[in-house]
């Protein structure tokens, strides 16, 4: 069992959790993830490792309530324990000294972007960061990202924080004014697709972090298969980081919606059950 040492609500549907998992904390690198289960019969939930405290044996994760399993996870409190917490899984982000790098994060994807920002800065890069969300309430880790960024640009759909517009609008402005040696874009799938297209127009390579349907996290089930560079890859072991220009985005977006109906039904049934319990 893995004890929750800190639980904090960041917004209406976003939560931060610190979990005692010394082995994971001692090995994790930027870009890797864990798979957890709330109970013995719970769904396996993959979540990016935001940061660790190896000395205390703690791992931070941030998640958003989007269905039954994350809704259940949000009911946990400090002192409670998770049944499983497996990791670190996946390949680390391709961190090295490039020169000037651009990091683009959308929504809860900012949680996955932050550790990469931190490590790229430590590697000696000039780091430019763009954070985007629908409203200011959904912009997470702003100060943490600012600490390791030479410049931080914030975009919101409604203009409630930073500039009004999309992250791609900000990307175009950055590409127009200076040379970018490497970029990252992490967030909703459709955002990563258009961020890739925007970077391609300026000839800038961009890494994305794919989040397909995932079950075992070891490459055995094949559920997380994606087409990258005309080859089948498994996001859990070959990724989750890939060059965006090589991803078959149409296939990826289609497969990500494969169980949308079933997921919605399950969430509705859970919400009704909770309402009936008072």
């Amino acid at each position: 069992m893995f004890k929750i040492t800190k639980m904090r609500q960041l917004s209406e549907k976003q939560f931060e959790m610190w979990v005692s998992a010394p082995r994971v904390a001692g090995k994790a690198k930027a870009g890797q993830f864990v798979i957890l289960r709330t109970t013995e019969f719970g769904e396996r939930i993959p979540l990016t490792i935001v940061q660790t405290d190896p000395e205390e044996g703690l791992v931070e994760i941030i998640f958003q309530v989007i269905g039954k399993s994350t809704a259940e996870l949000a009911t946990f409190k400090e002192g409670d324990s998770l049944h499983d917490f497996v990791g670190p899984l996946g390949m680390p982000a391709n961190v090295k000294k490039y020169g000037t790098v651009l990091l683009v994060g959308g929504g809860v994807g900012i949680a996955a972007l932050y550790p990469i920002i931190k490590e790229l800065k430590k590697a000696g890069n000039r780091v430019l960061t763009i954070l985007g969300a629908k409203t200011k309430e959904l912009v997470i880790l702003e100060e943490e990202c600012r600490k390791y960024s030479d410049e931080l640009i914030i975009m919101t759909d409604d203009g409630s924080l930073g500039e009004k517009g999309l992250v791609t609008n900000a990307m175009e402005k950055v590409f127009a004014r200076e040379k970018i040696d490497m970029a990252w874009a992490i967030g909703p799938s459709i955002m990563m697709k258009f961020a890739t297209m925007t970077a391609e127009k300026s000839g800038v390579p961009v890494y994305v972090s794919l989040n397909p349907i995932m079950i075992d996290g070891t490459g055995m089930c094949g559920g997380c298969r994606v087409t990258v560079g005309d080859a089948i890859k498994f996001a859990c072991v070959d990724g989750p980081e890939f060059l965006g220009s090589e991803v078959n985005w149409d296939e990826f977006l289609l497969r990500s919606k494969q169980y949308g109906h079933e997921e919605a039904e399950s969430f509705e049934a859970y919400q009704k059950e909770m309402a009936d319990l008072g």
Side-chain angles (χ1 to χ4, degrees):
M1 303 293 278
F2 299 86
K3 187 176 181 180
I4 298 167
T5 62
K6 181 179 179 181
M7 180 72 171
R8 183 167 67 103
Q9 188 166 358
L10 302 177
S11 67
E12 181 184 359
K13 294 184 178 181
Q14 294 174 328
F15 296 81
E16 172 197 56
M17 179 183 286
W18 283 86
V19 180
S20 178
R23 291 185 178 181
V24 179
K27 296 288 186 179
K29 295 182 179 180
Q32 293 184 296
F33 64 97
V34 296
I35 290 181
L36 63 83
R37 287 196 301 167
T38 54
T39 67
E40 180 182 359
F41 303 102
E43 181 183 10
R44 297 167 66 85
I45 309 172
L47 293 168
T48 299
I49 297 168
V50 179
Q51 58 183 329
T52 63
D53 183 339
E55 291 187 4
E56 296 295 326
L58 302 177
V59 178
E60 181 190 18
I61 55 175
I62 290 177
F63 66 94
Q64 181 169 304
V65 174
I66 56 174
K68 176 187 176 182
S69 295
T70 45
E72 288 179 334
L73 186 59
T75 66
F76 278 61
K77 298 186 172 49
E78 292 179 12
D80 292 342
S81 293
L82 302 173
H83 190 276
D84 292 328
F85 197 84
V86 179
L89 300 171
M91 298 295 291
N94 195 11
V95 172
K96 62 181 181 180
K97 187 172 182 179
Y98 295 93
T100 299
V101 294
L102 177 65
L103 286 294
V104 185
V108 75
I110 296 169
L113 192 75
Y114 167 64
I116 301 174
I117 293 172
K118 184 177 180 179
E119 293 306 312
L120 283 168
K121 186 59 183 175
K122 288 182 178 180
N125 293 284
R126 178 168 176 260
V127 177
L128 311 180
T129 301
I130 300 170
L131 304 182
K134 290 183 179 180
T135 68
K136 65 179 181 180
E137 289 79 16
L138 299 178
V139 177
I140 59 174
L141 300 175
E142 177 185 350
E143 292 309 314
E144 289 87 345
C145 292
R146 190 184 303 278
K147 179 179 178 181
Y148 295 100
S149 301
D150 294 274
E151 181 180 356
L152 180 67
I153 301 167
I154 297 178
M155 306 293 293
T156 49
D157 291 359
D158 62 357
S160 55
L161 183 65
E163 299 180 43
K164 183 176 182 179
L166 305 175
V167 293
T168 49
N169 301 141
M171 289 177 70
E172 289 171 346
K173 291 179 181 179
V174 171
F175 291 146
R177 80 184 192 210
E178 61 186 286
K179 180 180 181 295
I180 301 297
D181 298 294
M182 182 59 75
W184 275 257
I186 304 179
S189 300
I190 194 67
M191 183 219 87
M192 291 191 289
K193 175 184 177 179
F194 281 97
T196 296
M197 293 168 61
T198 302
E200 283 183 318
K201 286 191 295 184
S202 295
V204 178
V206 57
Y207 282 114
V208 296
S209 184
L210 301 186
N211 56 344
I213 296 166
M214 195 176 293
I215 301 174
D216 64 19
T218 65
M220 296 296 289
C221 74
C224 68
R225 65 188 182 276
V226 293
T227 302
V228 180
D230 296 322
I232 297 297
K233 301 288 185 180
F234 298 104
C236 66
V237 291
D238 298 316
E241 182 176 283
F242 299 99
L243 282 170
S245 60
E246 298 182 354
V247 174
N248 183 326
W249 287 106
D250 291 339
E251 178 188 79
F252 180 73
L253 290 167
L254 185 63
R255 292 198 70 238
S256 67
K257 300 175 182 177
Q258 187 172 0
Y259 298 104
H261 179 70
E262 290 82 358
E263 291 170 349
E265 281 190 341
S266 177
F267 192 24
E268 288 174 7
Y270 172 76
Q271 290 176 310
K272 185 178 184 303
E273 180 184 348
M274 293 298 100
D276 291 343
L277 291 175

